[in-house]
Amino acid sequence: MLSCFDAHCDTLTTGDLYHHLNLANEPFLRRGQIFAVCAEGALQRDLTFFNRAVSRLADLPVVLCRSSAELTAAIDQGKTAAILGIEGGECVGCDVGLLREAYARGARVLGLTHNRFNGLTGSCREECGMGLTDRGRVFAAEVVRLGMILDLSHISDRGAEELLSMPDAAVIASHSNARAVCGHARNLSDRLFVRLAERGGLCGLNLYAPFLAENGNASLEDVCAHVAHFLGLTPAAEDSLCLGADFDGCDQLPEGISTSADLSWLYELFLRKNYSETFVKKLFFENLCAYLRRTL
C-alpha cells in the first residue's frame, strides 16, 4: 500500500474553507503531515492566535510529535504523525521569547516570513532584494539553537542564501517548485535548489496550480515536469524531494486533485512514466520521514 508524508498544509489556519485534507478517506498505510500555522502577515502580540490554531489538532485523527522518538512511535503504531510548523515569524511576534514558548508547545519548523516584510528578512513579495536583518539573524540563530527546522519557502533569495550558509541549520523548502519550469518568485531558483539538496535539505512539491504552470491551468503532468527538472540538476535531488502540497492553503489545485485522497493518482502517474517505485516511495514518504527522524 501507499504511504504519504506531506511537508505543508494550512488546515490549522483555514479550517474548513477548502476541504482539501481528507485524512479519513486516504488510501495510505503510513501517514505524516506538517501542519503550518500562519498569521498571514499580522504581527501577533502573544500566542493567542497560535494556540487557537494548534487546538484544532484535537479535532483531527493525528498524534502531535515533538521528537524523533515520538514520530517513530506514531508511524510504527499506524497513526498519522503530525509535526507543527510556523509560517512566518509574525505568528510569534518576531520575538525570541514567544518563539521559545511556541517551541515548548510543539513547534518544530519555522519560516522566517510569509509574504510580507516583517522586520526579520525580505520575502518573495516585499523587500525581495533584502536578506536577513540583524534582528532576523538573532531570531534565526535562536531557531537553530532550539533545534527547529528553518523553512525557505516564502523568503527572499538573498535571505535563503543566508540561511543555507548557517553551518548548523536544518533547512527545507516545505512547499516550493522549480522557478525554471514556472517562473513564480515563490519557486526555487536552480542555484538555491542545488545548494539545498547538496547540504541534505528537502524541497516539497507545491500543488498550487499557479506555482506549477504559468497560465495557472495545471495538470499532474506539470508536477512531473518540476520533478524531472530537479532530478536533472544534481544527483542529490533523488533524496531531497518530497511532497509539500499546500492543501487548505490554496484555491487552485491541478486537474485530477480535489483532496489529499487523490494523491494516489499522482503516485500512479509517476510509475506509468517509468520512475522507479523506489524513487516514488522516497518522494511520497521516505525522504521526509527520514529527514525528520534525523533532525527532530
Side-chain angles (χ1 to χ4, degrees), residues 8-265:
H8 188 89
C9 78
D10 287 296
T11 309
L12 299 185
T13 301
T14 61
D16 295 330
L17 182 60
Y18 298 113
H19 299 284
H20 291 160
L21 196 67
N22 187 14
L23 295 172
N25 294 302
E26 292 177 349
F28 304 122
L29 176 64
R30 297 176 295 171
R31 185 67 162 94
Q33 180 67 56
I34 298 180
F35 289 87
V37 179
C38 180
E40 299 187 28
L43 190 68
Q44 303 298 303
R45 295 183 177 182
D46 55 33
L47 291 189
T48 300
F49 176 87
F50 175 81
N51 288 334
R52 184 184 307 118
V54 174
S55 70
R56 295 185 178 127
L57 283 174
D59 299 324
L60 298 170
V62 302
V63 175
L64 179 61
C65 301
R66 302 172 181 84
S67 67
S68 176
E70 290 180 353
L71 170 62
T72 298
I75 295 294
D76 288 350
Q77 294 167 18
K79 299 175 181 177
T80 296
I83 308 297
L84 187 57
I86 295 171
E87 190 174 21
E90 55 270 22
C91 189
V92 291
C94 298
D95 177 83
V96 293
L98 292 178
L99 171 66
R100 294 177 192 127
E101 291 183 38
Y103 175 83
R105 290 277 285 123
R108 293 296 181 267
V109 182
L110 184 135
L112 290 184
T113 188
H114 187 232
N115 287 328
R116 297 183 177 181
F117 173 65
N118 60 6
L120 299 179
T121 181
S123 79
C124 63
R125 291 180 59 180
E126 289 188 2
E127 302 293 347
C128 52
M130 179 186 291
L132 273 64
T133 64
D134 289 343
R135 183 182 175 193
R137 294 185 186 97
V138 171
F139 192 90
E142 183 63 11
V143 173
V144 174
R145 188 194 70 80
L146 289 168
M148 298 176 71
I149 297 165
L150 283 163
D151 189 351
L152 301 182
S153 293
H154 288 280
I155 199 173
S156 66
D157 284 5
R158 186 173 167 189
E161 294 275 10
E162 288 192 57
L163 296 184
L164 287 168
S165 296
M166 296 178 69
D168 298 323
V171 185
I172 65 172
S174 66
H175 55 309
S176 296
N177 298 327
R179 196 179 299 167
V181 177
C182 178
H184 198 288
R186 270 282 287 104
N187 290 336
L188 293 182
S189 69
D190 288 355
R191 172 184 166 82
L192 285 175
F193 176 77
V194 170
R195 284 199 68 192
L196 177 66
E198 293 185 351
R199 80 190 305 276
L202 290 184
C203 176
L205 298 168
N206 193 319
L207 297 187
Y208 181 42
F211 296 168
L212 289 168
E214 293 189 10
N215 64 10
N217 297 316
S219 71
L220 296 185
E221 293 284 348
D222 292 297
V223 183
C224 295
H226 286 267
V227 169
H229 179 79
F230 281 141
L231 289 173
L233 294 176
T234 171
E238 180 169 338
D239 296 317
S240 300
L241 291 171
C242 64
L243 300 180
D246 211 0
F247 285 136
D248 291 322
C250 64
D251 57 3
Q252 292 176 260
L253 294 171
E255 183 179 358
I257 301 288
S258 297
T259 75
S260 57
D262 297 324
L263 286 171
S264 58
W265 297 112

